[in-house]
Amino acid sequence: MGPAPAPAAPTVVLVPGTNTNGAVYRHISEALAACWTTVVLDVPGQPGLSADVRPRRGRSAWYGRWLTEALEQVVPGPAVVVGHSLGGAIVLASDSPRITGRVLLSSAGLVRLLVPPSIVAATVPWLARPTALRAARVLRSMVAPGGRVPDELAEWMTVVARCCHSSLAPAPLPPRLLAERRSVPCVVATGRHDIFLPPQRVAPAAQRHLGARLHVLERSGHLLLDESPDEIITLVAQALGTTPRDIE
């Protein structure tokens, strides 16, 4: 008998958050793909190339089953699954045996999101009469102080408000389900200036439910994929047990 074949390297699977998709985040997808085999899944019910249906009830469980089925179809072996915001809650909801690591970025599902009055005051005009200026105002509340809102993201969010109905943030997942996720390593991160999921709320929940130490990205708000792409690559490498420079 010859030597046993080397185990397949995990595929990196990115699950974007509310109102976004793979096309919006092609910059981070390309950066991931430069290092590892990468798949991006557009979430059903969000604007993109997936189905236009949203579950009416049992949303977290429904999305968890969707991700489990999607991984069976698109990933040939193990996967490290990266979820941002709503995508993080979906990643936590899935019990797929293919998942060998989770990277949770400003993730819903651990605690209830804060919705400050300033966000509500910016969101209502954006939804009522969408313009790029109003979309940028909403997004500016989500980035770190002094941070730049990408023009293309503001334009995209204008289209979203004109053509789609935005969905609400999911509720925290049941503690029993979260405790089951301890069996797979989790890397958890949030921005220092995240208006929805500040570190002081996320850190205790990550430790209590997942046994994970929170990584705080000092120069970021909620839009980690836009604000801190290099740090995201490093976090994914950590989940894979390698470093980006190890990848040729």
Side-chain angles (χ1 to χ4, degrees):
M1 296 178 61
T11 299
V12 174
V13 179
L14 176 62
V15 184
T18 304
N19 292 331
T20 61
N21 55 45
V24 172
Y25 286 127
R26 62 185 181 278
H27 62 284
I28 190 69
S29 304
E30 291 169 355
L32 290 167
C35 299
W36 308 285
T37 301
T38 300
V39 172
V40 185
L41 298 176
D42 284 3
V43 174
Q46 301 300 323
L49 297 179
S50 192
D52 60 0
V53 296
R54 289 177 183 163
R56 293 183 178 273
R57 61 187 64 182
R59 182 162 60 144
S60 293
W62 188 93
Y63 275 130
R65 291 191 297 271
W66 164 77
L67 180 55
T68 297
E69 293 170 4
L71 292 176
E72 289 290 332
Q73 294 181 36
V74 303
V75 177
V80 166
V81 190
V82 183
H84 175 247
S85 196
L86 169 63
I90 294 172
V91 166
L92 281 168
S94 172
D95 62 356
S96 170
R98 292 180 182 259
I99 298 177
T100 58
R102 293 180 173 88
V103 181
L104 308 173
L105 306 172
S106 288
S107 176
L110 291 173
V111 295
R112 193 172 299 278
L113 274 67
L114 296 175
V115 184
S118 60
I119 282 286
V120 177
T123 299
V124 171
W126 164 62
L127 293 175
R129 295 186 63 185
T131 66
L133 187 63
R134 289 175 173 176
R137 184 185 174 201
V138 175
L139 293 168
R140 201 170 294 117
S141 300
M142 300 184 191
V143 300
R148 174 183 170 271
V149 174
D151 293 340
E152 59 271 22
L153 186 57
E155 293 171 2
W156 168 252
M157 294 299 282
T158 305
V159 173
V160 167
R162 288 173 178 166
C163 303
C164 307
H165 293 289
S166 184
S167 59
L168 300 175
L173 293 164
R176 181 181 297 179
L177 181 150
L178 292 173
E180 293 172 356
R181 301 301 178 255
R182 283 175 171 253
S183 61
V184 172
C186 286
V187 176
V188 186
T190 197
R192 172 65 68 189
H193 307 281
D194 194 318
I195 196 169
F196 301 120
L197 294 160
Q200 62 268 27
R201 283 176 60 83
V202 179
Q207 181 62 51
R208 180 172 65 254
H209 294 302
L210 303 174
R213 178 179 66 88
L214 180 67
H215 297 263
V216 179
L217 305 190
E218 296 292 340
R219 295 173 293 177
S220 295
H222 184 68
L223 304 182
L224 298 186
L225 298 178
D226 295 284
E227 298 178 88
S228 299
D230 293 341
E231 288 88 341
I232 300 310
I233 298 299
T234 299
L235 292 173
V236 174
Q238 178 180 324
L240 287 160
T242 183
T243 62
R245 61 177 170 270
D246 291 335
I247 309 300
E248 298 184 5

